[in-house]
Amino acid sequence: MEDLYQLADEVSSTRISLPHIELSNHALHLVPSFLTAKKWRNITLVCDDQTWKAAGNQLADLLSAEGFEINIVKLKPNKHNQVIADESAIVQLLLQASEKTDIMLAVGAGTIHDIVRFVSCKMQKSFISVPTAASVDGFTSKGAPLIIDGFKQTIQSISPIAVFADIEIIKRAPRELTAAGLGDMLGKYTALLDWQISNLIGNEPYQPLAAKIVRNALEKCIDNVAGIADHDDDAIKGLMTAIIDSGIVMFILDHSRPASGGEHHLSHYWEMELLKEDKKQILHGAKVGVATAVLIELYKECAANLNIDHISGSDDEKQALKKHWEDIKNAIYHLPNPEYVKDLLKATGGPAVPLDLGISNELVERSLNEAYQLRDRCTFLKLINRQTNSHIKYPIKMNVM
């Protein structure tokens, strides 16, 4: 935590209170004493049918034995048997959360946390994170990615005051959820690069220590891929630590730049398309991992073939791109080969290419040409689209360089 506290001191003149973290076997058993110390007695426990079985029922028994008043809210799935962070789930929790609630417990993976963090913020309540899988890096962030009127929006709300990550529970999570967590972390390859580029071209603020923490978290995951695939205790703890560190960095900075770049724009574009077609959703981290490999291939293609003298766009961007082109090319050169990223995804049993997700080449191609418009962020994907007057083909091929 030393680097995280140093980052907090660098970012803010006032002391930032970081979440209390319990990351161990049987961490679930520590929740009652934490609540007692805070003098909170009225608890709203939020889960779904799956996460109730994974940890919710056990936690409810622990709390009941200590005399807490518990209001259990099981979020309702849609017709695809999935809970989505949309208006329906938000309204359900707002209606069913007791007015007497002292604290909310989010028991589940990323979607349940997104719903709880948003509703907690609106109700001016704190919440505690109880992850049931190492599936996403947003547990400790402030951002709540929600589907509002069919569009993906990330709304800054609140982070948990504490995280109780029980390795005994997390290591029993379905294999695809753990693979998704690795996929979300692999997205840091392109996210960190895009953040560098946004600083060089868009003059957006850049925090070297934040980048270092996230990069170290990424490398920790890569070093433990074999153990993650085997659901080894230490490896799963390492993955969960990396996920928590990444989320805390986003919390401290109050934005997601070091953890979310062009690969997340592709993922969000695919998600919204599935919503339009009323299809079953795909795990966030699974989409991000696949999108990372796609984007690395595109970035390397452009770095090798883009003629910097023939770019279009605004004068300021053109000048900045020409000035920093060698630095950008060097950073792209140091990205891993896309096949290496695919092999890491496969090693943990995750999807490696869009077709593994049921995502068509046509949808990938559209996203490569349009997804950069989803957020007003300077990424290399955005520069490619705005500067080259080129239609990007998939499999990767640039018409105009």
Side-chain angles (χ1 to χ4, degrees):
M1 297 287 287
E2 184 178 339
D3 281 346
L4 291 168
Y5 278 111
Q6 182 182 338
L7 176 64
D9 289 341
E10 289 183 7
V11 166
S12 176
S13 57
T14 59
R15 186 70 172 176
I16 296 175
S17 180
L18 300 186
H20 175 83
I21 306 294
E22 293 287 353
L23 179 61
S24 63
N25 291 345
H26 311 299
L28 208 64
H29 292 261
L30 303 176
V31 175
S33 59
F34 180 83
L35 296 174
T36 298
K38 297 289 185 180
K39 298 182 179 179
W40 290 324
R41 303 304 300 172
N42 292 283
I43 315 300
T44 292
L45 189 157
V46 187
C47 59
D48 61 20
D49 288 339
Q50 283 71 42
T51 62
W52 170 255
K53 296 172 185 174
N57 57 354
Q58 183 183 351
L59 182 55
D61 288 344
L62 290 169
L63 295 174
S64 294
E66 297 295 329
F68 289 92
E69 292 186 31
I70 311 168
N71 171 36
I72 298 168
V73 179
K74 290 186 184 179
L75 296 172
K76 296 176 182 176
N78 60 16
K79 69 180 185 181
H80 300 298
N81 200 32
Q82 293 180 307
V83 172
I84 304 296
D86 60 6
E87 299 97 330
S88 175
I90 290 167
V91 170
Q92 182 193 346
L93 183 52
L94 282 168
L95 291 174
Q96 295 183 12
S98 169
E99 293 181 3
K100 299 188 298 181
T101 296
D102 294 321
I103 188 81
M104 288 192 182
L105 304 184
V107 182
T111 297
I112 288 173
H113 279 70
D114 294 334
I115 297 164
V116 171
R117 83 175 67 251
F118 178 79
V119 172
S120 295
C121 183
K122 290 299 180 184
M123 293 182 65
Q124 297 184 319
K125 307 286 185 182
S126 296
F127 85 98
I128 290 173
S129 164
V130 184
T132 54
S135 58
V136 68
D137 75 340
F139 293 116
T140 48
S141 72
K142 289 183 182 179
L146 305 173
I147 300 294
I148 306 299
D149 198 23
F151 288 90
K152 188 87 169 184
Q153 301 178 39
T154 298
I155 300 173
Q156 291 297 93
S157 50
I158 59 172
S159 65
I161 65 162
V163 180
F164 290 85
D166 193 317
I167 300 304
E168 286 295 317
I169 291 168
I170 292 168
K171 74 179 183 180
R172 292 198 299 265
R175 184 177 173 86
E176 61 268 22
L177 289 172
T178 305
L182 177 66
D184 206 12
M185 287 305 302
L186 292 177
K188 293 5 169 192
Y189 276 127
T190 44
L192 288 168
L193 172 71
D194 280 336
W195 195 22
Q196 284 180 273
I197 290 172
S198 76
N199 175 249
L200 295 172
I201 308 301
N203 291 315
E204 296 183 17
Y206 183 78
Q207 235 298 339
L209 179 57
K212 172 194 165 188
I213 294 169
V214 174
R215 195 174 303 281
N216 287 345
L218 168 61
E219 290 172 357
K220 185 182 299 182
C221 294
I222 294 167
D223 290 343
N224 286 291
V225 164
I228 292 169
D230 291 338
H231 279 219
D232 171 78
D233 278 29
D234 289 339
I236 293 298
K237 186 175 182 178
L239 174 61
M240 198 69 214
T241 301
I243 281 171
I244 289 172
D245 285 353
S246 178
I248 291 178
V249 168
M250 289 188 275
F251 159 67
I252 293 171
L253 298 181
D254 202 22
H255 63 74
S256 61
R257 290 282 353 198
S260 173
E263 75 296 324
H264 273 68
H265 298 165
L266 295 182
S267 171
H268 293 337
Y269 190 98
W270 300 346
E271 181 174 351
M272 290 191 296
E273 188 65 22
L274 292 174
L275 284 167
K276 288 178 190 175
E277 297 176 358
D278 195 20
K279 292 182 177 179
K280 187 174 182 178
Q281 281 298 315
I282 301 164
L283 289 169
H284 168 78
K287 295 195 300 290
V288 169
V290 170
T292 300
V294 170
L295 213 54
I296 288 175
E297 186 178 358
L298 173 65
Y299 285 9
K300 286 185 176 290
E301 172 80 9
C302 287
N305 297 305
L306 184 63
N307 187 336
I308 201 69
D309 294 322
H310 294 165
I311 61 172
S312 58
S314 70
D315 288 340
D316 287 346
E317 273 189 358
K318 283 193 291 185
Q319 292 304 315
L321 195 53
K322 288 181 179 179
K323 178 181 178 181
H324 297 292
W325 182 233
E326 290 305 316
D327 291 332
I328 292 171
K329 282 206 302 183
N330 184 58
I332 293 171
Y333 172 80
H334 283 94
L335 287 174
N337 188 293
E339 295 304 318
Y340 174 71
V341 174
K342 294 176 190 177
D343 288 341
L344 291 174
L345 293 168
K346 291 175 186 175
T348 55
V353 297
L355 288 177
D356 291 344
L357 298 170
I359 301 292
S360 68
N361 286 356
E362 184 272 334
L363 176 55
V364 177
E365 186 167 316
R366 272 197 287 125
S367 67
L368 289 170
N369 290 280
E370 298 175 10
Y372 74 94
Q373 302 173 69
L374 292 179
R375 297 195 72 176
D376 185 21
R377 282 189 172 177
C378 180
T379 64
F380 195 49
L381 179 63
K382 187 173 190 175
L383 293 175
I384 293 167
N385 277 276
R386 284 174 48 176
Q387 298 288 348
T388 62
N389 286 330
S390 173
H391 181 83
I392 304 169
K393 294 284 190 181
Y394 186 80
I396 300 298
K397 184 180 180 182
M398 297 291 290
N399 287 345
V400 178
M401 286 291 181

